[in-house]
Amino acid sequence: MNQKNRLSVRKLVEFVLKKGSIDERYTGSAHTAIEGTKIHQKIQKEAGDNYQKEVFLKKELLINKRDYSIEGRADGVVEEKTGEYWIDEIKTSEIAFDLIPDNTLDLFWGQLMCYGYLLAVEKELTEIELQLTYYETLEEKITRSRKKVTFTELASFFNHLIEQYEKWVIFNDNWRILRNQSIKQLPFPYGDYRSGQRELAVAVYKTIVTEQNLYCEAPTGIGKTMSTLFPAVKSIGEEKAEKLFYLTAKTITRQVAEDAVEQMERNGAKLKSVTLTAKDKICFLDERKCDPEHCIFARGYYDRLNEALFELLQQENHFTRDIVENYARKYTLCPFELSLDISLWCDIIICDYNYLFDPIVYLKRFFNEEKNDYVFLIDEVHNLVDRSREMFSASLSEQKIALVYKELLKEDQKQRRVMNRLIKDFKSFRTNCGERDFMTQSEPADLFLKHVTKFTEGTKEWLLANQQSSSHSKMVELYFEALTYLKISELYDERYVTYVHLVGEDVLIKQFCLNPSFLINQTLKRGKASVLFSATLSPINYFAQLLGGEEKPLMYQLPSPFKQEHQFLAIANYIDTRYQVRQDSYQPIASALNIMVSQKKGNYLFFFPSYHYLEAVYQVFIENNPTIETVVQERVMDEGQRESFLKKFKNAPESSLAGFCVLGGIFSEGIDLKGERLIGVAIVGVGLAQLNVEADLVRKHYQIENQEGYQFAYQIPGMNKVLQAAGRVIRSEMDRGVVLLLDQRFNAKRYRELFPEHWQRIEISRNESQLKQQVGAFWEQK
């Protein structure tokens, strides 16, 4: 049986029978998955020796002339001595049984009816007894409901579900045929391949066919988006893959992926794609509150969903944010949830990393079951190292808890008692720090975790009972932070550390993921193949190791497609930016920037390791160059301000423009200023992060593991920021430009070893006079 023709009982029931509203008040569990499993096992064990647990049931049938297997696992099956059978479904939640919404109970019983039917067919039964076992975790109370049903009733119910689902199967089958035929005839959308493009496309295709993970450095100009998407789409057309996930770190990169999909469609491909936008960004309300009392788009959502979904799928192929919002308004549906429901029917899903990697918000509708035929294309993957550490870590703050605690006043003494335990824990943490402001331990804080669990249990009950409280929204926020802390505790192992940090008046406790490689590797196993790529992935061994690569990872580095003589690259070997002598560097840096700008009229970007450094040099520069137009990156900029900043960089400028930015910030990667919109970049310093507690914990971890702690924690991540910023200059075959590295450390062996191949022609400037001569000579070349 082909995997794509399997359909779980749960998915079938939820798709056909789900009704009512979106209501986050009834979601989220204080118990971890491990604890939930233990509860199930305890109930199953107490049921006696005659109780068969986790019984696999299935039925094969034809739907639209194709073989399908409808299957699932019943929690318990019992055969009585009389030959009669009963079947058990166990559900656990904090919610009291009499508070469960009717539409949720309908889904519980729907699953039971399906399991009952599958068992009745297998055992040739004329009737069967169904039991719903509900375990209320707060009160540790079990409620059991039973009913006896005939085979005729079960068959009628099951056949009704299949009939309702069949039109969706027919639509999907017809689409699959149309899609596959179009993909087989699809030529490479841009005609001829660029240098390196065919090689990358072949490598991606082979990776998918052989079900491996590929770590790839594809320098700017190769066209990595199309080079990865095109072969992946070809694999879908050949049914070597079921779905394609294009994962990125930034919105601008998602736009590039959308453009590539549309280009393939213009060349004849039939594809359905959806771009997922973050819930807070796409929400129609001024203040997001996902319950039917406050949101008309949540109220009755599932009653209107399937009608909207069917029209949407018939009328559109590319579900961008605008299209999703238009249909969501037309049918009064939550746009975020609508985009998720559309994704089930799409070939390509374009989204942020967190929808795959984040243990809290990952797409459970795709990744909760066994491995599937999914392909992951992970762009800008150098960003995933820090992002994954962030996603696999969790913290709680004393001040946040104390603030909510004070607001409760006498509102709920029981809840205050639970929160008081947490506050006492934080006081103990502060005491244990003594004279220090920081302490660590390799083991989790087990007692604190128990108190967090008790807090979440009580809070779930409190939130349901106090929906009008002025403290409700703050308690919701704290509740989900506590749930995240508990979820991360499930992942805790030798790659973690727990630390307490005294920050001013606050005390912070954090479960910090030092080495995310194992968890990334486990996540990638949710699909059949992955391509992890970036324009800057040097040294590739480092990135492959940190991004889930196993003993002999598949790695591929492509050379830059651009002529090296189109770029002048120099190290200002006379400039020292080390912190101890930083003040002495302001004037030499400002002079070097002036030399750069004075040799050719045009647009330039200057990158600094911090805002303080930027502001200091900026003052010197404008005093020396009052006629040169400048623009400065602000500490906080919204999308409009960012666009306004970039619009200043025009083609064929009438005068020079100097942009002052922060290295590693919003303008140092992901922006595409082609041609004369940018002809030069200067980078001040080697990109080292300021000493901080987390980077130093990472350093210590890798120093023990491979004796490369400083390189892994500081040097290589810093150099990657430098490479990204330098990559803003040459964006196409016709571009010419200058990159200045203003720090003598770049000339040291430990940094030269990290340079990519296309940086081997780098020149050394030993003084201002030589720098001026070298830059001038470059621009004089034809």
Side-chain angles (χ1 to χ4, degrees), residues 220 536 567-569 605 607 663-664 667-669 671 678-683 719-731 737-741 746 756 758-759:
T220 300
T536 59
Q567 176 174 280
F568 172 73
L569 181 66
L605 281 174
F607 292 98
L663 190 64
F667 300 119
S668 64
E669 63 175 285
I671 63 168
L678 184 68
I679 65 167
V681 160
I683 299 160
M719 191 62 198
N720 193 264
K721 293 177 188 176
V722 171
L723 292 171
Q724 280 290 323
R728 298 314 97 206
V729 180
I730 306 295
R731 308 297 298 175
V738 173
V739 174
L740 298 187
L741 306 178
F746 282 115
H758 58 279
W759 274 28

Side-chain angles (χ1 to χ4, degrees), residues 426-640:
F426 276 104
K427 287 179 179 176
S428 296
F429 297 150
R430 183 183 290 277
T431 301
N432 291 339
C433 282
E435 297 295 317
R436 302 162 296 169
D437 64 358
F438 183 77
M439 68 176 187
T440 66
Q441 63 180 53
S442 57
E443 299 301 318
D446 289 332
L447 182 60
F448 180 69
L449 279 168
K450 288 180 182 178
H451 293 164
V452 174
T453 301
K454 288 291 184 183
F455 165 73
T456 51
E457 288 175 345
T459 302
K460 186 66 175 279
E461 186 177 24
W462 185 92
L463 290 171
L464 287 169
N466 296 273
Q467 293 177 32
Q468 305 307 315
S469 169
S470 59
S471 305
H472 193 271
S473 61
K474 288 180 181 176
M475 188 69 89
V476 167
E477 184 180 346
L478 186 58
Y479 170 68
F480 280 107
E481 286 182 13
L483 286 180
T484 300
Y485 196 89
L486 291 177
K487 178 63 181 177
I488 295 303
S489 72
E490 293 183 58
L491 308 175
Y492 202 103
D493 60 12
E494 70 276 7
R495 288 166 282 263
Y496 274 81
V497 67
T498 297
Y499 75 75
V500 173
H501 193 193
L502 275 54
V503 185
E505 298 298 315
D506 199 8
V507 179
L508 186 82
I509 184 169
K510 186 167 186 175
Q511 298 174 119
F512 180 51
C513 180
L514 297 163
N515 181 353
S517 59
F518 173 75
L519 294 171
I520 292 174
N521 180 269
Q522 294 301 109
T523 302
L524 294 178
K525 289 178 180 177
R526 291 169 174 164
K528 71 175 292 184
S530 302
V531 182
L532 301 91
F533 58 100
S534 173
T536 59
L537 215 61
S538 295
I540 198 165
N541 285 322
Y542 160 85
F543 283 101
Q545 183 177 335
L546 260 66
L547 294 170
E550 295 181 311
E551 190 174 341
K552 291 185 179 179
L554 194 60
M555 299 180 291
Y556 189 32
Q557 285 181 287
L558 288 152
S560 171
F562 301 139
K563 294 179 180 178
Q564 291 188 33
E565 55 265 31
H566 281 194
Q567 176 174 280
F568 172 73
L569 181 66
I571 298 170
N573 205 40
Y574 61 92
I575 292 179
D576 188 350
T577 72
R578 289 175 301 158
Y579 189 77
Q580 307 94 302
V581 294
R582 187 159 286 183
Q583 272 190 305
D584 297 333
S585 71
Y586 299 163
Q587 184 64 52
I589 291 170
S591 296
L593 300 180
N594 178 51
I595 289 170
M596 188 179 192
V597 175
S598 64
Q599 296 307 298
K600 183 175 175 61
K601 179 179 67 178
N603 300 320
Y604 298 85
L605 281 174
F606 308 144
F607 292 98
F608 294 81
S610 69
Y611 279 101
H612 183 270
Y613 206 168
L614 180 157
E615 289 161 357
V617 175
Y618 177 72
Q619 289 303 319
V620 178
F621 182 85
I622 59 174
E623 286 172 13
N624 295 346
N625 304 279
T627 61
I628 293 179
E629 183 185 358
T630 59
V631 58
V632 180
Q633 176 184 342
E634 301 295 334
R635 291 177 185 265
V636 178
M637 299 178 80
D638 59 29
E639 286 189 28

Side-chain angles (χ1 to χ4, degrees), residues 28-266:
S29 172
H31 285 269
T32 65
I34 295 170
E35 288 171 321
T37 300
K38 285 180 178 177
I39 292 169
H40 269 63
Q41 291 172 342
K42 181 174 181 288
I43 293 171
Q44 290 167 330
K45 186 176 181 180
E46 289 174 352
D49 296 337
N50 205 27
Y51 188 99
Q52 300 176 59
K53 61 183 181 181
E54 305 300 328
V55 178
F56 180 74
L57 300 167
K58 73 172 183 177
K59 177 175 172 58
E60 295 185 2
L61 69 162
L62 283 176
I63 305 177
N64 192 34
K65 301 179 181 178
R66 294 183 71 211
D67 291 327
Y68 273 78
S69 175
I70 314 299
E71 54 193 51
R73 289 187 184 276
D75 289 323
V77 171
V78 175
E79 181 182 6
E80 302 286 8
K81 292 179 181 178
T82 58
E84 294 180 328
Y85 283 83
W86 59 273
I87 195 164
D88 192 24
E89 176 69 10
I90 302 169
K91 300 293 183 184
T92 65
S93 177
E94 294 89 348
I95 304 169
F97 185 75
D98 56 2
L99 292 177
I100 298 174
D102 290 341
N103 57 322
T104 301
L105 280 174
D106 289 343
L107 296 179
F108 292 169
W109 283 108
Q111 279 184 255
L112 257 173
M113 290 284 283
C114 284
Y115 292 143
Y117 172 73
L118 298 180
L119 185 66
V121 169
E122 181 183 317
K123 303 295 184 183
E124 299 182 351
L125 306 174
T126 57
E127 65 176 15
I128 191 170
E129 195 158 8
L130 309 179
Q131 175 173 286
L132 176 63
T133 300
Y134 184 81
Y135 183 88
E136 186 184 332
T137 56
L138 289 177
E139 301 296 331
E140 298 185 355
K141 175 183 174 184
I142 293 178
T143 303
R144 290 187 170 93
S145 306
R146 277 202 179 201
K147 61 182 177 183
K148 190 170 282 189
V149 289
T150 65
F151 178 78
T152 302
E153 291 173 312
L154 293 169
S156 175
F157 177 83
F158 183 82
N159 290 333
H160 172 73
L161 291 183
I162 298 300
E163 286 169 12
Q164 293 293 308
Y165 195 71
E166 187 170 19
K167 81 167 185 176
W168 297 89
V169 172
I170 293 170
F171 164 78
N172 203 43
D173 288 348
N174 291 342
W175 173 257
R176 187 186 298 272
I177 293 167
L178 179 67
R179 179 200 67 191
N180 292 354
Q181 287 174 345
S182 74
I183 292 174
K184 286 175 183 175
Q185 298 167 8
L186 177 68
F188 187 70
Y190 299 129
D192 294 334
Y193 287 91
R194 296 183 196 171
S195 174
Q197 207 162 29
R198 181 187 292 275
E199 293 86 345
L200 177 54
V202 170
V204 170
Y205 182 80
K206 286 182 178 178
T207 299
I208 294 169
V209 172
T210 56
E211 301 188 16
Q212 297 187 76
N213 297 334
L214 172 66
Y215 299 86
C216 181
E217 182 175 66
T220 300
I222 286 174
K224 55 188 172 63
T225 304
M226 187 62 81
S227 302
T228 52
L229 269 170
F230 177 71
V233 165
K234 282 289 187 181
S235 73
I236 288 177
E238 296 168 4
E239 300 210 344
K240 291 181 170 66
E242 181 182 350
K243 284 186 188 295
L244 168 61
F245 291 81
Y246 195 98
L247 299 126
T248 74
K250 294 182 173 64
T251 304
I252 191 168
T253 321
R254 293 195 276 281
Q255 179 64 54
V256 174
E258 286 180 358
D259 294 343
V261 172
E262 289 175 7
Q263 181 64 42
M264 283 188 277
E265 186 178 52
R266 286 192 289 272

